[in-house]
């Protein structure tokens, strides 16, 4: 008889873990709160407009390819990937514009126009990012740590220093760039992880390396096409998805979880349980350990976001696929997000226009615009008027698009608007404090020091997702699914560890 597994949550980590377990002989059921799978990587489809709700960047393709390969599939059979280059257009409020691109000659021209020494610094910065990426993936992010001595082993300690894990990203960038705007252009990517570059480890120079060297990609059909592909594979492997089934409580007995009770009163039993809901939510709401939940509550959380999804009855070709608008005092804006937990006085923001690459994302002659404005997470000590902050964020976006891109009539062409703000992230996705990226990443919250992917007391309860090891971001959550599966198979007596495969991608 097959061993049984119950996965709580059909985010990408839950889907990938379920598929891997099914491939390794488990009978797997997934309970999902929503009517469709995907979690934060879901989509909105309305009046011919298609929006990805959360992630819009397809990064680290080798990690994705390994996931498909581990399930006996080729990624290229399921996804039509297009390389986005320039990766972004970055706008500064003093009028400077940069197009970040893998075209080295073009980067040289742009950077030397700002500062004659900047291109040399850029090449050194990329070289450091390449080193950080390789070491991180092989020695830290891509493996399990079963005890603290493995993590702080004589072999690993020098690597922690090589990765500059104790140095801050923004300060370290000053070794390569003198111009403050260039420092901002090569550190804002920390916001994908919900981090401030003033707090993030310098290790995260690897982000810029992956974008420019390995590429920023877009799956035709949107990021949700990747979710649909993995769900289809999982179902073919026998995984059963049960939607509209939020879990109310986990029943425990001694050192085991014995059942998951849904709000409609059903109880599901299994040999092992995998929590893919936000880890702090599981500890706080589903388990009886109030003390453990309190400890997690005291950890650092990532920021939140205000999101605008606009269906527009006109095209704005001047808005590129990925656009970043950096504004105001860079440090003050991060302090307002991460210390005051509010909207900065001068908000920075990101605009995604998928129809530039995928015309099916909008009706002909129209546009689908996604706007992300970073804000602080919910803070019980300082209640915010989120409706007022949403209105201020919206007006700030309109003003900058009009001033810098000539998009002066956008307000009159919006057919409909969908808004997400921190309270929505909390209520819809059970993200504690409305922190859109889960638990933060600093030296004390990475590797073995991050919440582990198996519960300390309940030995058949595992975790996969952004708030457990190794961390947040879609490709990293896919690694989480691999590591959690490896741990389950190792601890339950069978293991098939797949080596990372190299991608065979060509820009379309």
């Amino acid at each position: 008889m097959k061993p049984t597994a119950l996965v709580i949550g059909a985010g990408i980590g839950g889907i990938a873990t379920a598929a891997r377990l099914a491939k390794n002989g488990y009978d797997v059921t997934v309970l999902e709160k929503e009517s469709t799978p995907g979690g934060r990587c879901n989509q909105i489809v309305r009046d011919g407009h298609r929006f990805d709700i959360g992630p819009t960047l397809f990064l680290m393709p080798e990690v994705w390819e390994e996931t498909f390969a581990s399930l006996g599939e080729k990624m290229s059979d399921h996804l039509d990937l297009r390389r986005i280059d320039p990766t972004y257009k970055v706008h500064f409020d003093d009028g400077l514009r940069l197009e970040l691109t893998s075209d080295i000659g073009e980067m040289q021209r742009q950077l030397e126009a700002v500062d004659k020494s900047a291109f040399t610094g850029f090449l050194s910065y990329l070289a450091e990012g390449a080193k950080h990426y390789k070491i991180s993936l092989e020695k830290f992010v891509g493996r399990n740590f079963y005890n603290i001595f493995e993590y702080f082993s004589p072999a690993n300690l020098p690597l922690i220093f090589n990765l500059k894990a104790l140095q801050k990203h923004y300060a370290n960038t000053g070794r390569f760039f003198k111009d403050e705007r260039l420092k901002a252009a090569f550190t804002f990517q920390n916001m994908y992880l919900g981090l401030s570059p003033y707090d993030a480890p310098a290790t995260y120079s690897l982000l810029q390396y992956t974008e420019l060297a390995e590429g920023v990609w877009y799956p035709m059909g949107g990021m949700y096409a990747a979710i649909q592909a993995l769900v289809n594979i999982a179902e073919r492997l026998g995984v059963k998805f049960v939607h509209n089934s939020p879990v109310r409580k986990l029943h425990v007995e001694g050192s085991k979880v014995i059942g998951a009770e849904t709000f409609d009163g059903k109880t599901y039993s299994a040999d092992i349980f995998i929590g893919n809901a936000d880890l702090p939510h599981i500890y706080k709401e589903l388990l009886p350990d109030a003390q453990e939940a309190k400890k997690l509550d005291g950890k650092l959380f990532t920021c939140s976001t205000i999101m605008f999804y606009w269906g527009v009855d006109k095209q704005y070709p001047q808005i590129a696929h990925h656009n970043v608008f950096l504004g105001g005092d860079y440090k003050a804006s991060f302090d307002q997000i991460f210390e005051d937990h509010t909207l900065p006085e001068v908000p920075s923001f990101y605009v995604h226009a998928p129809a530039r690459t995928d015309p099916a994302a909008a009706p002909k002659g129209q546009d689908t615009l996604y706007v992300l404005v970073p804000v602080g997470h919910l803070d019980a000590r300082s209640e915010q008027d989120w409706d007022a902050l949403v209105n201020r964020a919206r007006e700030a976006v309109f003003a900058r698009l009009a001033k810098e891109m000539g998009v002066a009539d956008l307000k009159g062409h919006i057919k409909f608007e969908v808004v997400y703000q921190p309270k929505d992230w909390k209520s819809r996705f059970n993200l504690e404090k409305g922190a859109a990226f889960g638990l933060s990443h600093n030296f004390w919250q990475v590797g073995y020091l991050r919440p582990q992917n198996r519960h300390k007391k309940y030995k058949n309860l595992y975790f996969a997702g952004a708030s457990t090891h190794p961390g947040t971001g879609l490709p990293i959550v896919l690694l989480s699914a691999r590591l959690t599966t490896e741990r389950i198979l190792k601890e339950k007596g069978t293991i098939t560890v797949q080596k990372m495969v190299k991608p065979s991608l060509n820009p379309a």
Side-chain angles (χ1 to χ4, degrees):
M1 197 164 157
K2 282 186 176 184
T4 55
L6 187 78
V7 179
I8 299 158
I12 194 164
I15 297 163
T17 306
R20 284 176 179 269
L21 286 172
K23 181 74 174 168
N24 281 281
Y26 274 78
D27 184 345
V28 188
T29 300
V30 181
L31 299 180
E32 168 53 38
K33 173 180 183 278
E34 296 282 309
S35 59
T36 52
R40 282 164 276 185
C41 197
N42 215 304
Q43 66 175 354
I44 296 167
V45 179
R46 182 166 162 186
D47 298 347
H49 297 268
R50 188 191 67 234
F51 308 84
D52 287 312
I53 288 177
T56 59
L57 299 165
F58 191 101
L59 301 172
M60 297 168 67
E62 68 178 302
V63 175
W64 288 86
E65 191 148 30
E66 186 278 332
T67 299
F68 281 90
S70 74
L71 304 174
E73 302 283 338
K74 277 181 69 179
M75 182 169 72
S76 56
D77 291 340
H78 296 271
L79 297 178
D80 177 6
L81 294 180
R82 307 293 171 92
R83 189 164 184 167
I84 308 300
D85 198 341
T87 54
Y88 318 88
K89 292 190 175 176
V90 185
H91 300 254
F92 297 86
D93 56 4
D94 65 355
L96 175 67
R97 293 183 190 182
L98 289 176
E99 293 191 1
L100 301 187
T101 171
S102 58
D103 180 335
I104 293 294
E106 179 56 23
M107 284 302 294
Q108 181 175 10
R109 186 193 67 74
Q110 292 184 77
L111 292 172
E112 289 182 348
V114 177
D115 174 0
K116 286 290 179 198
S117 66
F119 181 64
T120 306
F122 167 73
L123 293 177
S124 300
Y125 185 65
L126 272 193
E128 181 180 277
K131 182 179 81 171
H132 288 173
Y133 179 75
K134 186 174 167 50
I135 295 173
S136 292
L137 213 56
E138 287 181 7
K139 305 293 186 183
F140 290 95
V141 177
R143 61 161 292 188
N144 281 308
F145 294 98
Y146 293 95
N147 59 62
I148 199 159
F149 303 106
E150 283 186 2
Y151 188 58
F152 289 117
S153 68
N156 262 20
L157 270 175
L159 298 178
I160 290 173
F161 289 99
N162 285 344
L163 286 171
K164 299 189 173 179
L166 295 167
Q167 295 181 41
K168 303 303 183 195
H169 192 184
Y170 188 85
N172 182 59
T173 311
R175 294 179 55 244
F176 305 97
F177 303 104
K178 294 178 201 156
D179 190 285
E180 295 298 319
R181 295 166 301 178
L182 296 183
K183 292 181 195 176
F186 292 102
T187 57
F188 75 80
Q189 294 87 347
N190 290 160
M191 290 301 295
Y192 310 156
L193 305 175
L195 303 176
S196 163
Y198 294 93
D199 298 324
T203 313
Y204 289 120
S205 59
L206 63 84
L207 289 169
Q208 294 74 42
Y209 165 76
T210 71
E211 288 180 353
L212 294 176
E214 296 199 338
V216 172
W217 301 78
Y218 179 81
M220 297 299 277
M223 294 298 288
Y224 199 65
I227 294 291
Q228 289 168 317
L230 288 172
V231 167
N232 290 340
I233 293 166
E235 288 180 332
R236 284 206 302 275
L237 290 168
V239 176
K240 295 176 286 294
F241 288 86
V242 184
H243 293 105
N244 301 306
S245 296
V247 173
R248 189 180 76 83
K249 185 181 180 183
L250 289 172
H251 294 284
V252 298
E253 198 175 85
S255 63
K256 287 181 74 175
V257 174
I258 57 169
E261 183 186 330
T262 54
F263 275 90
D264 60 6
K266 290 180 185 165
T267 299
Y268 295 78
S269 59
D271 296 316
I272 59 165
F273 294 79
I274 299 94
N276 177 234
D278 192 36
L279 185 137
H281 169 79
I282 295 174
Y283 274 86
K284 186 176 179 182
E285 303 294 341
L286 306 188
L287 288 168
D289 319 357
Q291 204 53 42
E292 284 295 317
K294 197 174 174 188
K295 264 199 273 183
L296 279 175
D297 194 61
K299 290 190 179 290
L300 284 178
F301 284 72
T302 54
C303 69
S304 190
T305 62
I306 291 171
M307 310 291 300
F308 300 106
Y309 307 96
W310 290 328
V312 183
D313 67 8
K314 176 182 174 181
Q315 274 187 331
Y316 293 96
Q318 61 269 56
I319 301 177
H321 189 112
H322 297 298
N323 312 265
V324 173
F325 294 80
L326 298 175
D329 181 325
Y330 195 59
K331 178 156 193 332
S333 69
F334 281 108
D335 287 345
Q336 286 161 356
I337 292 168
F338 289 94
E339 291 176 21
D340 304 335
H341 299 145
T342 189
L343 174 70
E345 251 174 72
V346 182
S348 295
F349 59 94
Y350 159 76
V351 181
H352 179 229
R356 290 307 151 272
T357 303
D358 187 357
K364 193 172 181 184
Q366 302 189 28
D367 237 336
T368 290
L369 299 178
Y370 157 124
V371 180
L372 182 156
V373 187
V375 294
H377 63 59
L378 299 173
D379 184 351
R381 295 166 305 169
S382 56
E383 282 292 317
Q384 301 283 8
D385 181 347
W386 287 106
D387 290 340
L389 293 178
V390 165
N391 289 336
R392 183 158 73 81
R394 185 190 295 107
E395 292 306 316
V397 172
F398 285 149
R400 277 200 77 176
L401 290 178
K403 178 184 167 192
E404 295 176 35
M405 300 193 101
V407 180
D409 59 351
L410 176 59
K411 200 183 292 193
H413 288 279
I414 293 175
K415 299 190 296 182
F416 66 86
E417 172 186 85
V418 177
V419 177
Y420 275 45
Q421 45 107 322
K423 288 180 177 175
D424 299 307
W425 290 118
K426 188 173 193 304
S427 63
R428 179 168 179 189
F429 297 108
N430 290 332
L431 293 167
E432 200 57 35
K433 302 180 194 278
F437 308 86
L439 285 175
S440 189
H441 301 71
N442 63 8
F443 179 76
W444 304 106
Q445 290 183 195
V446 294
Y448 184 77
L449 306 176
R450 196 167 182 80
Q452 292 294 290
N453 54 11
R454 195 202 69 195
H455 197 282
K456 199 163 51 178
K457 180 178 178 183
Y458 307 117
K459 309 292 189 192
N460 66 335
L461 174 58
Y462 296 84
F463 304 101
S467 291
T468 186
H469 175 66
T472 194
L474 282 186
I476 305 303
V477 171
L478 287 175
L479 283 174
S480 165
R482 174 167 73 84
L483 296 179
T484 300
T485 305
E486 284 179 9
R487 183 166 192 165
I488 291 167
L489 298 177
K490 178 182 179 181
E491 293 179 349
K492 300 307 171 189
T494 55
I495 182 157
T496 52
V497 179
Q498 294 233 353
K499 292 281 183 193
M500 292 284 286
V501 295
K502 283 289 174 191
S504 53
L505 292 167
N506 293 304

